[in-house]
Amino acid sequence: MQRGRLSGGRETDYSSDSNPRSKKMRIKQQTTYWSKYEILAVLLSLLSLLYICLHSHSFHLHVTRLYAGLGHPTAQHLLGQRYLTGEGVEQDGQTAMEWFRLAADQGHPHSSYNLAVGMMRNISAARERGEVERFLSKAASQGILEAQTLLEHLRTTDWDLEPGTQEE
């Protein structure tokens, strides 16, 4: 018995009779079957996509928390922004400043600026001598225009950048 393939995935079976001219060709159609694991994987993928579509803000928050916990400065900054504005979480300025400090210590320019402004507004209680100027300078050197403007304004108006010495 000879076997051969035709185009389209059909398998042919050539069987010989006593008469070589009268070959019978039998064509078998191959059917595609999905295993139960493949069906389960497709269903789980579709359910995951549905969850992401319906709860994108919550999903984004969970992913951001994961990456922030792993030490990514952009995710730490985004999480700080969420805590500062109360978007998706309970508003908490102190927690926001902690996330901004983690990102600023890794060189994130916007976090440096936000941390310095938070210190000036007394949102962040822990403040060392010269930190406001250091964080504003770091942000300004990385191209944050608001930090450059604020730093120049504070220097020209003789605003004391040191903690506890500002008179109100």
Side-chain angles (χ1 to χ4, degrees):
M1 180 183 301
Q2 297 177 347
R3 290 188 181 263
R5 286 230 182 247
L6 294 177
S7 64
R10 296 182 295 178
E11 187 175 298
T12 60
D13 190 10
Y14 301 103
S15 56
S16 302
D17 279 348
S18 57
N19 184 356
R21 289 187 177 179
S22 63
K23 292 184 178 179
K24 294 181 182 175
M25 182 162 55
R26 195 171 43 161
I27 298 176
K28 297 179 188 176
Q29 289 289 341
Q30 287 184 341
T31 54
T32 305
Y33 293 105
W34 287 31
S35 73
K36 58 184 173 184
Y37 299 111
E38 291 171 328
I39 293 171
L40 182 64
V42 168
L43 287 176
L44 286 175
S45 298
L46 291 174
L47 287 174
S48 297
L49 287 174
L50 180 65
Y51 172 77
I52 291 169
C53 290
L54 296 177
H55 303 285
S56 62
H57 293 294
S58 173
F59 180 76
H60 183 263
L61 177 64
H62 293 304
V63 171
T64 303
R65 275 192 180 142
L66 172 72
Y67 279 100
L70 292 174
H72 292 272
T74 302
Q76 292 169 340
H77 174 75
L78 290 173
L79 202 52
Q81 287 284 52
R82 282 184 172 255
Y83 276 106
L84 189 63
T85 61
E87 182 184 336
V89 295
E90 187 175 330
Q91 190 171 3
D92 184 0
Q94 189 64 34
T95 304
M97 294 300 124
E98 291 170 10
W99 283 112
F100 286 144
R101 181 175 290 280
L102 289 171
D105 288 343
Q106 294 184 58
H108 194 280
H110 291 286
S111 288
S112 298
Y113 174 74
N114 288 346
L115 185 60
V117 171
M119 288 176 179
M120 292 170 58
R121 293 183 179 172
N122 291 325
I123 296 175
S124 177
R127 183 169 135 188
E128 296 175 9
R129 187 170 189 81
E131 269 192 318
V132 172
E133 186 173 11
R134 182 171 57 94
F135 283 119
L136 280 176
S137 296
K138 187 187 294 187
S141 69
Q142 293 183 7
I144 306 300
L145 184 60
E146 295 89 354
Q148 294 170 351
T149 306
L150 182 59
L151 192 58
E152 289 171 10
H153 175 72
L154 293 177
R155 288 179 177 161
T156 58
T157 58
D158 292 329
W159 192 85
D160 193 358
L161 295 171
E162 303 305 323
T165 59
Q166 178 68 26
E167 293 184 25
E168 307 219 1

